[in-house]
Amino acid sequence: MKNIEKQQKLSTILFVVITAIFFIAMFTGCSTTVPVTAKFPITPDRLLVKCPQLEKLEGEVKLSDISKAITMNYTTYYECAVKNDSWIEWYNIQKKIFEEIK
């Protein structure tokens, strides 16, 4: 009978020790913290280029010069408008992603 009692005591002590080790390991694993700081993404360089100045005519000009200047100005304007629209679209998408992460 003494052997059975010793085995029961030993089993109980072993169970308590294993349970304590398990809980200590679980609590120490949860205590580590990692600081996470979200940074807003960097803007692509091609979207940060300023729009060029529109062409101006000075002095005596021909009708063909006026036509070329108008064509160049329209082209310049619409290229800049597309770039600006791309910038706005990129910014809004990145802002939405950034705010979802917080």
Side-chain angles (χ1 to χ4, degrees):
M1 283 298 202
K2 287 187 178 185
N3 284 338
I4 294 175
E5 288 175 9
K6 284 182 181 180
Q7 272 186 331
Q8 286 177 344
K9 283 183 181 182
L10 187 61
S11 295
T12 305
I13 291 171
L14 187 63
F15 176 75
V16 169
V17 168
I18 291 174
T19 306
I21 291 172
F22 174 76
F23 280 112
I24 290 171
M26 293 298 289
F27 288 130
T28 57
C30 295
S31 67
T32 57
T33 57
V34 178
V36 177
T37 55
K39 295 181 182 176
F40 200 77
I42 298 170
T43 307
D45 290 336
R46 61 186 159 83
L47 296 179
L48 294 176
V49 177
K50 289 186 176 184
C51 294
Q53 292 292 321
L54 298 179
E55 188 176 325
K56 295 179 183 176
L57 299 175
E58 296 177 6
E60 236 179 271
V61 291
K62 298 179 188 174
L63 186 57
S64 62
D65 293 336
I66 294 173
S67 170
K68 287 178 188 177
I70 289 172
T71 302
M72 287 302 295
N73 285 343
Y74 268 96
T75 303
T76 303
Y77 168 78
Y78 284 111
E79 285 175 353
C80 189
V82 167
K83 191 185 310 180
N84 190 39
D85 292 344
S86 298
W87 160 251
I88 292 169
E89 179 183 0
W90 178 88
Y91 179 82
N92 288 332
I93 290 170
Q94 298 305 318
K95 183 178 178 187
K96 181 179 176 185
I97 292 170
F98 184 76
E99 289 176 352
E100 287 175 357
I101 292 173
K102 284 186 176 181

